[in-house]
Amino acid sequence: MSDNTSGRGCLWPMWDHSSIPTHEYCGKNRTDGQSYCTEHYARSVRTSEEPKVAFVPRKLAA
Ligand SMILES: [Zn+2]
């Protein structure tokens, strides 16, 4: 099997969304089976799982 990506590090982009892409990545050791290191993998999971707006009841039954 060819696995030419196994030697590469974390692929978390190090530039801002508004910036011109520099194609510089974090480069730390990746988590098994993931494209990111432990820290950035946790960030990517948390970002996708957290609701953007917390549910707040408008009015409790009075
Ligand atoms: Zn990283």
Side-chain angles (χ1 to χ4, degrees), residues 10 12 26 28 37 40:
C10 171
W12 189 269
C26 167
K28 289 182 186 173
C37 67
H40 287 137

Side-chain angles (χ1 to χ4, degrees), residues 17-52:
H17 289 296
S18 56
S19 303
I20 297 170
T22 60
H23 300 289
E24 286 180 26
Y25 299 95
C26 167
K28 289 182 186 173
N29 288 335
R30 302 205 289 200
T31 304
D32 255 6
Q34 302 300 332
S35 300
Y36 304 124
C37 67
T38 310
E39 179 188 336
H40 287 137
Y41 174 64
R43 279 179 64 172
S44 71
V45 170
R46 192 168 49 200
T47 303
S48 58
E49 283 186 352
E50 267 186 13
K52 287 185 178 168

